[in-house]
Amino acid sequence: MDTVQVSSPPRTVEEIYKDYSGRRAAVIGALTTDVDEFYTLCDPEKENLCLYGHPGGMWEVTLPAEEVPPEMPEPALGINFARDGMDRKDWLSLVAVHSDSWLLSVAFFFGARFNGNERKRLFSMINELPTVFEVVTDRKPAKEKSGMDSGSKSRLSAKRSSDGQLKANSKMVDEEYGEEDDEHGEALCGICGSNYSSNEFWIACDVCERWFHGKCVKITPAKAENIKQYKCPSCSSKRGRQ
């Protein structure tokens, strides 16, 4: 993959959260949308490899940094060695857990000079997002069970016409969110982690019921018109391995 340009490290809570979100989206992409490419690159015959997520949304499988100590926390080393000795699903879950640990360590490395309130705010913002492990294993965060009442959830999920056809009805979603911004404005894209925005097309997975930017899962409103049951990248790869 292309070399990522080095930029100044993030310093504010918002900058670090943006950095975290970009790295997280990149890692999730490697373990879901691009999972076959990622799996191939993690050749056990190669040296110790790491999965890096970059702030711009790019991921990379490569050797660890040579500096000792490293400039910043490093991902888990040698993820490729366990690939062929484990069930594929279990191996991806293991990489996801290590990736979550790495993402948090990088965020709090950048925020090492924060005071208690700033650290708490940063963690609170990060904790609003599903972990990489939850996305990869299709586990719903506890927040999804308690953060929305059953009536709200049913309204968000009822996006079908009487014949079962999925509709690209961003208008319906806009109306619901327009009426209850305070209650549902915290809905997050399952890939990039960004908050809901009424001027963008979103689509819900019919399996895990998470919401996604159309652009993040490469679905346009026109494509959505012809989809009877939409499965997100994580659910699609999970079904394919069963």
Side-chain angles (χ1 to χ4, degrees), residues 33 189 191 203 212-220 230 232-233:
T33 308
C189 173
I191 294 294
I203 188 168
F212 302 87
H213 284 113
K215 62 183 180 182
C216 289
V217 291
K218 300 179 181 178
I219 298 293
T220 64
Y230 175 68
C232 68

Side-chain angles (χ1 to χ4, degrees), residues 95-135:
V95 175
V97 169
H98 281 293
S99 296
D100 278 319
S101 300
W102 174 66
L103 290 168
L104 283 173
S105 69
V106 170
F108 283 90
F109 171 80
F110 288 138
R113 293 177 176 80
F114 285 169
N115 60 35
N117 287 334
E118 289 171 322
R119 290 194 301 272
K120 182 177 180 180
R121 187 156 69 94
L122 175 60
F123 180 76
S124 178
M125 292 170 71
I126 289 174
N127 204 39
E128 289 293 310
L129 300 174
T131 64
V132 176
F133 176 75
E134 287 170 336
V135 174

Side-chain angles (χ1 to χ4, degrees), residues 38 53 61 92 101 124 128-129 159-160 222:
F38 169 70
V61 173
L92 291 172
S101 300
S124 178
E128 289 293 310
L129 300 174
K159 304 300 180 200
R160 294 185 175 280

Side-chain angles (χ1 to χ4, degrees), residues 4-23:
V4 177
Q5 294 182 347
V6 178
S7 57
S8 58
R11 299 185 182 278
T12 67
V13 171
E14 288 72 20
E15 288 174 348
I16 293 175
Y17 175 73
K18 182 178 180 181
D19 180 275
Y20 171 90
S21 298
R23 294 178 189 275

Side-chain angles (χ1 to χ4, degrees), residues 195-233:
N195 288 82
Y196 169 79
S197 175
S198 60
N199 61 357
E200 296 177 300
F201 171 69
W202 284 57
I203 188 168
C205 175
D206 287 300
V207 179
C208 66
E209 297 184 357
R210 286 199 299 266
W211 286 85
F212 302 87
H213 284 113
K215 62 183 180 182
C216 289
V217 291
K218 300 179 181 178
I219 298 293
T220 64
K223 283 185 179 180
E225 287 284 354
N226 299 314
I227 299 175
K228 291 185 177 181
Q229 183 182 48
Y230 175 68
K231 296 178 185 177
C232 68

